[in-house]
Amino acid sequence: MKASSLGNLWKLPLVTLSLGWLVTMGAAKGAADRSPTSVSARGTSSLPVLFRLEDGTFDVVRDGVTVFSRATADALIVGPGEKPRRTVSFADAGQRSQDDTGAFVSRTGDAELRLRFGWFGEDRRRFTVRLSVLNRGDAPIVVLKAAPLVVAATNGGALRLGAQPRTHRILENGRFAMFDTAVQVEAGDAPRFALGGLFPIPLRGNSVANWNHLVSDLENPHRSLVAGFLTFERTVPTLGIGYDPAVSKDGAFTTYAAECVAVFHGKQLKPGQSFDSELLYVDPLPPDPLGALEDYATAVAAHQGVTPWPKRGPGHDVPNGWNSWSGGSGTGGYGQSIDAGLIRSNLAVFVREFQPFGGSWFQVDEGWQAAPRGDWRWKAKTFPDGGTRMAKEIADTGLRPGLWIAPLQASPHSPVATAHSNWLMPAEDGAVRSFAKDRETLDGSNPEVLAFLRDTFGGLRREGWRWVKVDFAYLDLLGKPQFDPTLTNVEAYRQAWRAIREALGPDIFLLGVGTMGTLAGFVDGMRLTLDNSPCWEEEKPNDLLGSSRGFKSTVRTGARRWYYQNRLWVNHDDLILFRSYPDKKHPPLSFEEARAFATWIGLGGGIVKLGDKLVDLAAHPEWIDVVRRLLPAWPEGARPTDVLTRDFPETYRLHVKAPAGEWDVVGLFNWGTNRDLTANPPAAMPDAARSYQVQCADDCLAYEFWSEAFLGRHTGSFSVTVEPHCAKVIALRKPTGVPQLLGTNRHLTQGANDLGPVTWDSGQKRLSGTLLGAVGSQTAPRQYHLAFYAPAGFTLRSASVDGVPAAATSQQGEVIRLTFALPPELQGKPVAFRLEFR
């Protein structure tokens, strides 16, 4: 994996026509593609951009619809001597031209702007655009932000999607640059976020999303827009959109701004130097809005040169396991109160209860280090044998050892802070940093800091750690680089992460926490949410400042970022928890609530990590059973089909293609109180049973996982009721006309990870298959339940399982059930089963 350079996607040839300047981005193929007839020859697959040199604006047209009209590009700069900020725009009076590379150029005073368009992908449905700012003056200037696509109704601009903004929903990805865990769905006519004005560099729009967003009309989903950035090299990019009914004449959005903010102090340009915005990716009017978001994540990975961890071949399974932090001591976990003996005792339980089911990772979290932060030697009193011994003990069990570290922080009195004060950088904004006043941050622009990071992470590799969780690094974005003040915060931050990645090498799993875009190209896994707690819901579930950490808050944030999974990285939605809070302020968790959340984690395809004390599990074999059924993780994540219409998404769909065949898995989650986002303003939904419509593409057999109930054969849609705080998982298989598998109780996907090929021999009238044996323990015995469908005309004659003297069978109507337990010697081995019919 690598973080690529800027790439050449925007350097593709441009085609001009007599009507203004018409750009049909893409690689031209011969004279025919350069002719004035090229647009009509491409038909509806062409996406032209009409650029007007006379006023510096452009239109974007898709399928005959002018999506963006009179858009422009601009930059916010500060001139010599810290003069007031000023905006320079293509729409300003000045010299405009198109150069021989195809870029559009505008020069006004000391600033020159260059705008370049390009296609992305062979389908030519999506385009890219980048703005460059060049200092043509005689004195330095500072670029605070560069915006490659701007619409303002006050200048005649508009963004036209559906008929009226109030029916649109905007799926953000963090907001206003500062709130990266506040992933909201806003109505198109929503007022500006009340805290939006706190950001020191002004951002345009009522809804301002970090990194990317989806804007979709609920009444006509085709009238949607997906936009986001493919690079995150030097700025925090945002996408702002707004609607002012007093200004809009035809229901169009009145503001749109794709802005790249050089937090917090801008980028200084000496005379002759230039500054590039990040590369903006735009997909107007996609046929499938949610699929277009998934395409966006794939596009980022392609541009960054990333192959997601699960797609790198054998041995790259999705991480799963245990985390010694276990939710923190305040929630009933260990927190920092760990030692070698505690790790060993929990390790023994994990090896016994979960490793046979695919558990393969085990992490030591905070508390191992000598100083609170900054001294990354092992604490001699609690880990007397050090990190090499600890990693080896974990690895000797066959598990992959993991370690927590916060390498860009140092406590004020740590050896790093006291001996290397020149490595530290002050907070750019003391008010923002007040919550972290006991922590110093390291300067990623300093070569000595980079050498320290390489040495630290090279040491972890040599000790034998095979996955590393890097925490609290994002606080570096609040400081100002000192060694090289010409770098932006993001440039210095990414230098530090590049040093970490290079020191670890490509074969060690690197997990990041916080600030999505800035870590693209470096991390293998990404925490999408805040830490969660053993709590269903808090008193303030809509708090955007970080105090809401119950299951439902985790679901809302994580579900709205589903599209990254196995496209750019492995998603991590924090811990699975079954216990209740030790205090009385939080209502105790029910088993059904804990199982519903664990089910949601399992269907997401990301990291499965248990947060309870493993040594306490002997009293709860039912907890052990739930976690086993998620292991190993199936890397493809389910899509939340109602992500735009429910505050806490309730319906999920996953298509499985595995050795056992192809089928769909539907997850239904009743989160209790919810909000219906189809209403504007959103309508409250009560804590009550709900019915859901499950769609069958044609004809299907439905089987529910947790209840092991056959829900019948259906054509079209059918209704399923789910009680409050519960979940159901339904496998939908196409009838074959002969006996076939319905489902199993081994894995949540009902066959993706637990079964080999299942085949029908028409001559022998035999259904046969294989499974990978997983044997239970004395604490939590394991019994297999397999269900099969036998159409009318097929009667079971016998059933057998290799290594099992007498498997139990039963038949009720068209459903046959096969029940058995495997002997210990079949652990981890393929086991054949067969059903004979007459």
Side-chain angles (χ1 to χ4, degrees):
M1 183 178 73
K2 62 183 177 65
S4 70
S5 60
L6 299 181
N8 296 312
L9 291 173
W10 48 267
K11 295 181 179 179
L12 301 175
L14 306 173
V15 180
T16 60
L17 297 183
S18 57
L19 181 57
W21 294 86
L22 186 63
V23 185
T24 61
M25 295 74 66
K29 298 180 180 179
D33 277 339
R34 296 181 182 275
S35 71
T37 61
S38 61
V39 174
S40 59
R42 292 192 183 103
T44 58
S45 68
S46 65
L47 194 158
V49 174
L50 177 68
F51 196 97
R52 304 176 186 85
L53 284 177
E54 63 271 18
D55 63 5
T57 67
F58 59 90
D59 295 348
V60 175
V61 182
R62 170 77 180 174
D63 297 340
V65 177
T66 302
V67 181
F68 291 97
S69 62
R70 295 202 172 274
T72 190
D74 63 31
L76 184 65
I77 67 174
V78 176
E82 296 297 319
K83 293 181 179 179
R85 298 169 175 177
R86 56 191 170 94
T87 299
V88 291
S89 170
F90 264 90
D92 294 339
Q95 299 176 346
R96 301 187 196 93
S97 62
Q98 184 181 30
D99 68 16
D100 54 9
T101 71
F104 295 100
V105 183
S106 175
R107 183 174 180 181
T108 305
D110 55 359
E112 178 179 288
L113 304 181
R114 289 176 174 267
L115 196 63
R116 308 184 186 203
F117 295 91
W119 286 109
F120 191 98
E122 295 180 357
D123 59 6
R124 297 192 173 189
R125 191 185 77 222
R126 299 157 287 174
F127 72 95
T128 60
V129 59
R130 168 174 277 142
L131 176 67
S132 299
V133 183
L134 175 65
N135 183 358
R136 287 289 194 185
D138 299 324
I141 62 172
V142 175
V143 179
L144 297 176
K145 64 179 179 179
L149 197 162
V150 177
V151 163
T154 53
N155 295 326
L159 166 61
R160 292 181 175 85
L161 294 174
Q164 49 184 345
R166 71 177 314 274
T167 66
H168 290 66
R169 298 297 175 266
I170 305 161
L171 174 56
E172 300 176 350
N173 186 14
R175 52 181 12 199
F176 282 88
M178 297 182 294
F179 305 98
D180 204 46
T181 57
V183 184
Q184 297 294 98
V185 174
E186 291 285 352
D189 62 347
R192 184 175 170 87
F193 176 46
L195 300 181
L198 294 179
F199 197 70
I201 299 174
L203 298 170
R204 290 168 283 194
N206 294 348
S207 159
V208 178
N210 303 347
W211 325 115
N212 60 274
H213 67 183
L214 162 65
V215 186
S216 186
D217 185 2
L218 297 182
E219 295 184 347
N220 183 2
H222 177 60
R223 302 303 295 270
S224 301
L225 172 75
V226 167
F229 289 84
L230 301 180
T231 64
F232 314 91
E233 300 291 335
R234 57 196 63 82
T235 66
V236 174
T238 61
L239 295 133
I241 185 171
Y243 170 67
D244 183 350
V247 177
S248 180
K249 298 178 179 179
D250 55 1
F253 287 98
T254 52
T255 300
Y256 194 87
E259 303 185 281
C260 302
V261 185
V263 295
F264 286 93
H265 52 282
K267 178 73 171 181
Q268 185 180 98
L269 301 183
K270 295 179 181 179
Q273 289 184 329
S274 64
F275 173 80
D276 291 338
S277 76
E278 309 297 348
L279 185 63
L280 176 64
Y281 163 106
V282 184
D283 187 354
L285 308 188
D288 173 11
L290 301 186
L293 261 182
E294 295 165 353
D295 290 343
Y296 162 72
T298 300
V300 176
H303 190 74
Q304 296 280 346
V306 172
T307 300
W309 181 267
K311 295 180 180 178
R312 296 184 207 169
H316 291 83
D317 56 303
V318 171
N320 61 73
W322 182 71
N323 181 337
S324 67
W325 180 257
S326 50
S329 57
T331 72
Y334 291 122
Q336 298 187 46
S337 302
I338 59 174
D339 56 42
L342 181 149
I343 297 299
R344 292 185 186 112
S345 60
N346 282 277
L347 175 63
V349 177
F350 190 87
V351 168
R352 182 180 70 243
E353 302 296 347
F354 301 113
Q355 190 177 28
F357 291 81
S360 56
W361 305 68
F362 196 84
Q363 181 193 314
V364 179
D365 211 280
E366 185 171 11
W368 62 269
Q369 72 277 18
R373 304 278 164 85
D375 187 353
W376 302 112
R377 296 171 298 164
W378 284 75
K379 192 183 299 182
K381 184 177 180 179
T382 50
F383 292 90
D385 298 320
T388 300
R389 174 65 181 273
M390 191 80 263
K392 185 177 186 301
E393 288 189 35
I394 297 171
D396 283 348
T397 68
L399 300 177
R400 285 175 244 191
L403 192 69
W404 171 97
I405 190 171
L408 294 180
Q409 287 197 341
S411 299
H413 303 295
S414 67
V416 166
T418 56
H420 303 284
S421 59
N422 62 314
W423 290 10
L424 309 179
M425 55 183 180
E428 183 67 13
D429 186 333
V432 175
R433 272 289 303 279
S434 61
F435 73 96
K437 58 186 176 182
D438 59 333
R439 308 170 190 176
E440 301 289 349
T441 54
L442 303 190
D443 182 0
S445 76
N446 191 323
E448 292 181 4
V449 170
L450 302 181
F452 165 75
L453 293 173
R454 292 189 187 97
D455 182 64
T456 299
F457 283 86
L460 297 184
R461 180 182 179 88
R462 290 188 294 272
E463 285 184 353
W465 301 99
R466 289 298 171 259
W467 77 314
V468 178
K469 172 186 173 183
V470 174
D471 205 355
F472 294 110
Y474 46 83
L475 292 177
D476 250 36
L477 293 172
L478 301 178
K480 182 176 182 179
Q482 297 297 295
F483 183 87
D484 185 356
T486 67
L487 297 182
T488 68
N489 300 51
V490 174
E491 286 174 314
Y493 187 63
R494 284 181 64 85
Q495 277 192 176
W497 276 93
R498 186 173 290 107
I500 292 170
R501 179 78 266 178
E502 290 172 351
L504 289 177
D507 58 329
I508 293 179
F509 190 94
L510 177 58
L511 175 66
V513 178
T515 62
M516 302 290 112
T518 54
L519 302 188
F522 296 132
V523 297
D524 304 301
M526 187 71 207
R527 260 279 297 281
L528 307 181
T529 67
L530 293 168
D531 289 12
N532 65 353
S533 302
C535 174
W536 182 251
E537 187 171 34
E538 309 87 334
E539 293 181 2
K540 298 179 180 179
N542 295 309
D543 178 22
L544 302 182
L545 300 181
S547 65
S548 297
R549 302 192 178 192
F551 287 173
K552 288 177 63 174
S553 294
T554 298
V555 165
R556 175 170 45 203
T557 299
R560 291 171 177 177
R561 286 172 164 159
W562 91 94
Y563 48 90
Y564 287 127
Q565 171 58 24
N566 206 21
R567 295 181 179 89
L568 182 57
W569 50 52
V570 176
N571 286 351
H572 183 22
D573 294 298
D574 210 36
L575 303 176
I576 294 171
L577 298 157
F578 289 87
R579 69 175 184 271
S580 296
Y581 253 99
D583 61 50
K584 301 300 182 182
K585 294 188 301 182
H586 301 84
L589 276 176
S590 70
F591 173 70
E592 289 75 16
E593 289 173 338
R595 188 173 70 177
F597 182 72
T599 300
W600 179 80
I601 291 284
L603 279 183
I607 292 174
V608 175
K609 193 185 293 183
L610 182 59
D612 287 306
K613 297 176 179 178
L614 298 180
V615 294
D616 292 346
L617 294 186
H620 300 284
E622 71 279 12
W623 298 1
I624 296 173
D625 176 64
V626 170
V627 177
R628 285 172 173 175
R629 298 199 201 196
L630 312 182
L631 302 178
W634 182 249
E636 304 302 326
R639 176 192 288 184
T641 57
D642 58 350
V643 69
L644 296 178
T645 60
R646 291 291 180 268
D647 199 13
F648 305 99
E650 296 182 333
T651 60
Y652 297 74
R653 198 169 187 110
L654 169 68
H655 182 71
V656 173
K657 186 175 183 180
E662 288 191 55
W663 64 96
D664 283 349
V665 177
V666 172
L668 304 175
F669 298 83
N670 185 340
W671 301 115
T673 55
N674 208 332
R675 293 196 306 165
D676 179 3
L677 303 184
T678 63
N680 189 356
M685 300 175 65
D687 191 355
R690 281 199 271 278
S691 292
Y692 302 90
Q693 290 298 307
V694 177
Q695 296 291 329
C696 288
D698 190 3
D699 192 9
C700 69
L701 303 170
Y703 189 81
E704 204 283 313
F705 178 69
W706 291 115
S707 65
E708 300 181 19
F710 177 52
L711 304 185
R713 182 169 179 170
H714 301 278
T715 300
S717 66
F718 62 98
S719 178
V720 176
T721 298
V722 182
E723 295 301 313
H725 304 203
C726 293
K728 290 186 177 181
V729 180
I730 303 166
L732 303 176
R733 287 179 164 88
K734 185 176 181 179
T736 61
V738 297
Q740 66 184 100
L741 177 74
L742 276 177
T744 87
N745 71 337
R746 164 64 186 91
H747 193 269
L748 195 65
T749 58
Q750 303 195 59
N753 270 343
D754 54 310
L755 295 179
V758 180
T759 59
W760 171 254
D761 184 330
S762 59
Q764 299 292 325
K765 292 188 176 180
R766 177 189 300 134
L767 183 67
S768 59
T770 59
L771 55 85
L772 187 64
V775 180
S777 64
Q778 186 175 0
T779 301
R782 169 70 191 166
Q783 193 175 64
Y784 276 90
H785 298 167
L786 275 63
F788 303 90
Y789 181 77
F794 292 91
T795 303
L796 180 67
R797 188 176 63 188
S798 64
S800 61
V801 180
D802 285 356
V804 179
T809 60
S810 64
Q811 183 166 1
Q812 185 174 9
E814 296 170 313
V815 179
I816 298 170
R817 300 184 185 274
L818 181 62
T819 304
F820 57 92
L822 294 177
E825 60 269 20
L826 291 182
Q827 170 59 47
K829 296 180 180 179
V831 177
F833 60 87
R834 61 201 62 83
L835 287 78
E836 310 279 350
F837 292 84
R838 61 174 180 268

